[in-house]
Amino acid sequence: MPKVLVVDDSALMRRLVSNVLTEAGYEVDTARNGAEGIERVTDWQPDVVTLDVNMPEMDGLTALSLIMQARPTPVIMLSSLTEQGARVTLEALALGAVDYIPKPGGTISLSVDDVADQLLQKVRAASRARPRYRAAAEAGTRSGPSATAARPASAQRLAAAAVARARAPAPPARVGRPEGLVLVGVSTGGPRTLEDILPALPADFPWPVLVAQHMPANFTTAFARRMDSLCALRVRECSSALPVEPGTIYIAQGGTDMVVSEYLGRLTVKPRPETPGHPWHPSVDVMVESALQHLPAAQLIGVQLTGMGNDGARAMAQLKRGGGRTIAESERSAVVFGMPQELIAADGATLVLDAQAVARQLMLWAPAHA
């Protein structure tokens, strides 16, 4: 079984998390702070690390950055801050963490039982993941206890996105249906991968982009804001019914499913309660199926990115059979190859591409001046 290092300043949390993992057959070691965790990663070479964010001596974000430099290892963030402060979790994911779990609150011994299945599922997926390191300056994150602002390279990146949005001509407004839609499904490893793709799309990209990223309700608002700061396109969270317009990326709201609909002859997206029978939300299958009800498959592009499970494979394969085009992320670049692999196995992938090549392909399929 894989080796798991539990890094947490709380002795109780170290014991409780270790017990869950040990009972499942994992070999477990522990560290009391970030500095000790880095040392154990180097010496013991675990397959997965669970890492608290808020620790003395060295905080989790600093430890994560140094772990990824010293020995890139799949890291799952485990902290109360991940539930209350989505921004910190998104910084960790940008630095290379593969996933996150809200640290139990209240009566800890009871709350750990509530997240035990989630912990084991994510550790199992992380043990097969390929972590991808990005320096703090490039990722637009802070590192170190005293860091309070983005570093210069990050500031330049944000400024470049703002200038591109301001200078590029906006796509012409259209009443009714757009020429087409890009439908993106993604799960584990998604925020980091989307930062490789969506900021590369120009402000005049003509097709609206819909994104179903498996994420809880209290994370997607912060995620949409972060992506809006990085992208030339406008980024909006689908927290209510919105018209589908060129020049816009729509992020499905956590805790809901985003569906394509129609109102007064115009396409819209809107959230609806999680659809029974679908284990992952926001659901990729539900989003794609709803789009197929309002546009021909030939006017849709499906993009299946990193993540565990098979959400989206069935609907995107249907899209391809109907004459649409699809991209599955390659095993080489995917943090977790599950979702793209399922699409490929269903003969649903028109192309298999590294994440870094996806934006360029979308621009070829949906040219700005078609």
Side-chain angles (χ1 to χ4, degrees):
M1 290 290 285
K3 299 190 296 184
V4 183
L5 177 66
V6 177
V7 184
D8 201 300
D9 64 309
S10 165
L12 177 58
M13 281 303 303
R14 291 197 303 272
R15 178 170 60 83
L16 292 173
V17 172
S18 295
N19 287 345
V20 170
L21 295 168
T22 301
E23 290 175 5
Y26 290 97
E27 184 179 353
V28 179
D29 197 3
T30 63
R32 296 169 294 179
N33 55 56
E36 191 175 303
I38 294 167
E39 182 179 345
R40 294 302 297 139
V41 166
T42 303
D43 295 343
W44 192 52
Q45 299 190 353
D47 300 292
V48 179
V49 177
T50 69
L51 181 62
D52 187 15
V53 170
N54 189 22
M55 295 181 291
E57 297 189 37
M58 182 184 290
D59 68 272
L61 290 181
T62 302
L64 172 64
S65 181
L66 293 174
I67 287 170
M68 299 305 288
Q69 291 179 59
R71 183 180 179 273
T73 304
V75 174
I76 299 171
M77 303 309 295
L78 179 63
S79 171
S80 57
L81 290 178
T82 61
E83 192 168 31
Q84 299 173 6
R87 179 185 59 81
V88 177
T89 303
L90 292 171
E91 289 182 3
L93 294 171
L95 284 169
V98 300
D99 216 331
Y100 54 90
I101 299 174
K103 193 173 184 178
T107 305
I108 292 178
S109 60
L110 297 177
S111 298
V112 166
D113 291 338
D114 292 339
V115 300
D117 288 344
Q118 183 182 175
L119 172 64
L120 293 174
Q121 182 185 51
K122 294 197 172 188
V123 166
R124 186 162 50 248
S127 69
R128 301 189 294 269
R130 297 173 178 82
R132 298 163 61 198
Y133 170 63
R134 175 189 284 174
E138 180 188 355
T141 71
R142 60 184 176 87
S143 65
S146 62
T148 57
R151 297 186 183 182
S154 173
Q156 292 170 7
R157 186 180 181 190
L158 301 184
V163 169
R165 183 182 297 166
R167 291 182 177 174
R174 298 181 181 91
V175 177
R177 290 172 170 77
E179 292 179 2
L181 299 177
V182 176
L183 309 169
V184 181
V186 61
S187 185
T188 308
R192 169 69 174 82
T193 301
L194 289 171
E195 288 188 22
D196 285 337
I197 297 171
L198 300 182
L201 295 174
D204 60 350
F205 185 74
W207 289 17
V209 180
L210 280 55
V211 179
Q213 158 74 65
H214 298 163
M215 192 173 274
N218 55 333
F219 278 63
T220 48
T221 299
F223 179 55
R225 287 174 180 163
R226 177 178 173 86
M227 293 306 302
D228 190 56
S229 74
L230 298 174
C231 294
L233 295 167
R234 178 176 55 171
V235 181
R236 304 185 67 180
E237 181 189 32
C238 180
S239 57
S240 61
L242 298 169
V244 176
E245 298 173 336
T248 307
I249 298 167
Y250 300 87
I251 305 292
Q253 184 181 44
T256 73
D257 289 332
M258 179 169 65
V259 295
V260 178
S261 187
E262 188 175 343
Y263 179 71
L264 298 179
R266 297 195 65 183
L267 280 188
T268 65
V269 288
K270 62 182 182 182
R272 77 177 188 194
E274 294 180 353
T275 308
H278 293 267
W280 299 283
H281 302 278
S283 170
V284 185
D285 275 325
V286 169
M287 177 183 70
V288 176
E289 288 167 356
S290 71
L292 284 166
Q293 293 174 12
H294 296 277
L295 283 173
Q299 293 176 242
L300 300 173
I301 298 172
V303 181
Q304 187 83 321
L305 300 174
T306 175
M308 59 185 176
N310 61 3
D311 186 25
R314 184 186 71 251
M316 288 199 190
Q318 178 185 351
L319 185 159
K320 178 175 176 283
R321 287 194 300 272
R325 293 162 292 184
T326 60
I327 298 170
E329 185 179 359
S330 70
E331 184 175 10
R332 179 170 56 184
S333 74
V335 176
V336 177
F337 190 47
M339 286 169 56
Q341 184 178 38
E342 291 291 337
L343 181 61
I344 295 168
D347 194 27
T350 306
L351 294 175
V352 179
L353 299 174
D354 291 352
Q356 294 79 4
V358 170
R360 180 180 297 274
Q361 187 60 47
L362 292 177
M363 288 185 278
L364 291 173
W365 279 348
H369 303 289

